[in-house]
Amino acid sequence: KKVADRYLKREILGEGTYGVVYKAIDTTTGQTVAIKKIRLGKQKEGVNFTALREIKLLKEVKDPNIIELIDAFPHKGNLHLVFEFMETDLEAVIRDPNIFLSPGDIKSYFQMTLKGLAVCHKKWVLHRDMKPNNLLIGSNGQLKLADFGLARIFGSPGRKFTHQVFARWYRAPELLFGAKLYGAGVDVWAAGCIFAELLNRRPFLQVLHFCDCLQNLNSIQCLTSVLRLTLELEVKGANSNNDQGGDSDIDQLGKIFQKLGTPTLSQWPDLEWLPDFVEYSSQTAQPWRKLCPTASDDALDLLSKMFTYDPKSRISVQQALEHRYFTSVPLPTDPAKLPRPA
Ligand code: ADP
């Protein structure tokens, strides 16, 4: 019998898209857990579906590199999802100036990322929201994919998806061009962005908008609460305008082209049929050596294959895992020995 009494609530860990995440103790096992509370009832029906989808997908997938769903139960009009507690995430590792990541460390974190993703893709599930703060890290150094809130089964042909699901910097070009039908390649592109971010220690295809800057000011709490509230309202307005129109998508494509060059029709024949296709003035690709100065030749070869424009020619996650980068020295660091924030 599952009752909420089973879990002893501790502090709030964070606020997610659909509700608060608490730290808690599972009194039956003594294990520390994270409980994601999803508001039900008064919300639009979509929220329920998202939650149910998350449960179904997570229950199907059991793997060392995927976050474990321990329990799920309704309580006081909320849906509670109980996950294994994770100490930190990859974003915190990348942003920590006190952490040095050796080439073997980077290889290890990235290999675990791809292993988790390979399991999803084998089950015909797209993650669709790959970004460093969705890659959680446990006390044993294991990296696990989290936040399947947006994932969906992509097996059935002819199925259409909404394309505005990714954090913009990790969004594949086919999504930015408005593709309604897309595949596992969107996760490969995002994983490539994460790889480059591990190597460079900064987001690879980062576009800063005015409202992003406001949000950053917000988060460093250098403003009075009154001013903060005013800004929040403005940010919300600005963001909703932005997300409707393709302005930010166009800026994002501009950033991609500036680094990787504009795609040609010989590179990507289907490009001209995408809904939001427009001709861009041609730019040449920068050399990979210049884009990621610290990376090995093997790393750069793998990167360039993940950033192939045509999703049909882009390397698959399984192929990426079999790339010589992972078998050449230095070998991936043992997860237990990986550096983590203090
Ligand atoms: P979002 O919907 O914005 O991606 P989540 O709902 O997944 O965010 O999580 C919100 C916050 O709760 C995260 O930023 C993270 O700090 C924390 N969190 C989520 N899951 C866990 C977990 N399993 N262990 C520890 N902290 C977690």
Side-chain angles (χ1 to χ4, degrees), residues 182-195:
Y182 52 85
V186 299
D187 287 338
V188 175
W189 183 276
C193 295
I194 293 168
F195 189 19

Side-chain angles (χ1 to χ4, degrees), residues 13-17 21 34 36 67 83-86 134 136 147:
L13 289 167
E15 178 97 36
T17 319
V21 183
K36 201 181 218 180
I67 186 103
F83 295 98
E84 56 182 317
F85 177 80
M86 303 293 279
N134 276 341
L136 303 182
D147 223 342

Side-chain angles (χ1 to χ4, degrees), residues 146-208:
D147 223 342
F148 285 76
L150 296 163
R152 254 198 219 191
I153 306 286
F154 71 105
S156 47
R159 197 155 176 176
K160 291 181 179 182
F161 304 125
T162 56
H163 62 276
Q164 295 287 356
V165 293
F166 265 68
R168 231 183 283 128
W169 307 335
Y170 304 89
R171 223 178 265 162
E174 60 269 31
L175 295 172
L176 296 165
F177 277 118
K180 303 285 188 296
L181 288 169
Y182 52 85
V186 299
D187 287 338
V188 175
W189 183 276
C193 295
I194 293 168
F195 189 19
E197 189 165 336
L198 275 165
L199 291 160
N200 293 349
R201 297 296 287 269
R202 55 185 298 167
F204 184 56
L205 298 168
Q206 183 176 39
V207 182
L208 284 178

